[in-house]
Every structure is written in structure tokens, then in C-alpha cells.
Amino acid sequence: MKFFVDTADTSEIRELAATGLLDGVTTNPSLIHKSGRKFLEVVEEICGIVEGPVSAEVVALDHETMMKEAAVLRKIADNVCIKVPLTIDGLKTCKALTGEGVMVNVTLCFSANQALLAAKAGATFISPFVGRHDDNGFDGMKLIEDIRLIYDNYAFDTEILVASVRHPIHVLEAAKIGADVMTAPPSVIKALFNHVLTEKGIAGFLADWEKTGQSVL
């Protein structure tokens, strides 16, 4: 499963990219606003940090303007992935862009039927929001299971990009189901490293090593 980080904080992206575990980045208008920086400037910097897809979202709601915004974003770097909303105009834009060989991430997916439409429109990625789904009394991971089944039934190439990931259990369940990608905030990705027994084991080894009075260097 590919790991994308969901942030516009370039310092966090650099830190995670240095681990060699980061496969891409997702951003959205809210994350850009939080960064306090200019949208195009942030996207360009991120594209220079990671080699994988960097999702940059259009903000228009009509197809014609979406295409114009996508044209601007595409010029930033070859690894820009245009993010569009799951609407009729969004999928129309998706179909047009993927037909030109452009990566497209269809976002704000909350049903398997929507995911089916996105795959038929040629989406590179579909982004089901599991956390927000859970918040509204639905089972976010059941949604991922349904999409996985449908995509496998028809051999769609669209990759399932699990979004709105809130905690490590979301990551684990997505991996068990067979999602292609997950995107999570830096804090969630860093939490995957943590386990009390690992920390306890390190403390024990270091205590014993100190008693030897030796040095590796």
C-alpha cells in the first residue's frame, strides 16, 4: 500500500520523505489556508520534494473553469495530480484530463456508486473519506470493502486512495482490505511507528549496553 501524506506543511513533508516511506502528497484548499502561503508556491515546492503524485485541487465548480485551472496546475510539474470533486462537472473534467494522460484524483467520495462512476470516468485515484463517513454514523471501512469488490469485479485501473484517515486502525484496516493508497496527516503516519513494547525493548537494551562500558564508535 502506498503512503501519501495529507498536508501542505513542507517541513513535515521533507521529514517524512527522508524516511523513504513516502510515495506522494495530497493537499486541499483547507490545508493550503492553514499553511498561510500561496497555493501555487506551495504545490511547486512540494513537487520538488517528492517524486510521486502531488494532488492539487481545482476550486471551480463548472467544467470549463476546472479545465482552465487544471491547465495552470499541470504546468507546475510532471507529478501534479489534478484533484476534482465527485460531481457531474468534476467527472466530466476527469474524463477529459485522463484522456490527455493527466493524473486525476476524484475526491469527496462517500458511496460505492460514486466510486464506480469515477472509475468509469477514468480516474487515476478515487478518494473515499472514511473518517467523515464514520462521523456521520456510517462504516467507513465497509465503504472501502465495497469499492474494492466492485473494482476487482471489473478490473478497473483506478486506485483506491483512502482519505480522511484519523488513526492507525484506519491504516491497518485499509491495508487488510487491499486499498492501493492511504493518505493521512503527519501525526497519524508517525503514530504507526509507536508501540509500547518497542520503546520498552529499546530502553532495556540501552540499559544493558551501558553496563558493558563499551562503545561502538
Side-chain angles (χ1 to χ4, degrees):
M1 186 168 67
K2 299 173 189 174
F3 276 32
F4 289 4
V5 64
D6 193 38
T7 185
D9 186 330
T10 54
S11 62
E12 292 272 24
I13 295 170
R14 289 182 189 281
E15 181 182 356
L16 288 169
T19 68
L21 302 175
L22 193 60
D23 300 296
V25 177
T26 55
T27 66
N28 60 50
S30 297
L31 292 172
I32 295 294
H33 174 69
K34 186 177 179 180
S35 75
R37 297 176 59 193
K38 293 183 178 180
F39 175 44
L40 299 182
E41 175 187 282
V42 173
V43 173
E44 183 176 9
E45 184 176 349
I46 294 172
C47 287
I49 299 171
V50 298
E51 295 182 1
V54 176
S55 288
E57 191 165 347
V58 298
V59 292
L61 296 179
D62 65 285
H63 169 64
E64 183 178 352
T65 312
M66 284 184 187
M67 290 297 291
K68 290 179 180 178
E69 292 180 351
V72 174
L73 296 174
R74 290 169 60 181
K75 292 178 182 178
I76 295 174
D78 291 338
N79 57 330
V80 166
C81 177
I82 307 299
K83 188 189 284 191
V84 300
L86 212 159
T87 61
I88 291 177
D89 281 79
L91 293 188
K92 185 177 179 181
T93 301
C94 172
K95 187 71 172 178
L97 291 174
T98 55
E100 297 177 9
V102 178
M103 291 186 292
V104 176
N105 177 358
V106 178
T107 190
L108 292 170
C109 173
F110 292 96
S111 78
N113 279 336
Q114 289 180 318
L116 174 58
L117 293 174
K120 288 181 68 63
T124 312
F125 303 103
I126 182 66
S127 291
F129 279 38
V130 295
R132 292 195 196 182
H133 212 52
D134 290 348
D135 291 344
N136 286 275
F138 300 97
D139 186 343
M141 301 320 298
K142 180 63 170 62
L143 172 59
I144 304 304
E145 288 181 358
D146 289 344
I147 297 172
R148 180 76 279 162
L149 175 61
I150 291 170
Y151 281 13
D152 288 348
N153 281 349
Y154 298 100
F156 284 123
D157 293 327
T158 301
E159 295 189 27
I160 302 172
L161 196 169
V162 180
S164 189
V165 170
R166 302 283 175 76
H167 45 69
I169 297 300
H170 275 155
V171 180
L172 174 62
E173 292 302 317
K176 287 165 63 178
I177 292 167
D180 303 286
V181 192
M182 77 88 201
T183 187
S187 59
V188 173
I189 294 177
K190 291 177 181 178
L192 297 174
F193 289 90
N194 299 333
H195 196 288
V196 63
L197 294 180
T198 301
E199 295 170 2
K200 184 177 180 180
I202 290 173
F205 289 153
L206 290 178
D208 289 340
W209 177 251
E210 187 176 351
K211 293 174 185 176
T212 70
Q214 301 178 54
S215 175
V216 176
L217 299 178

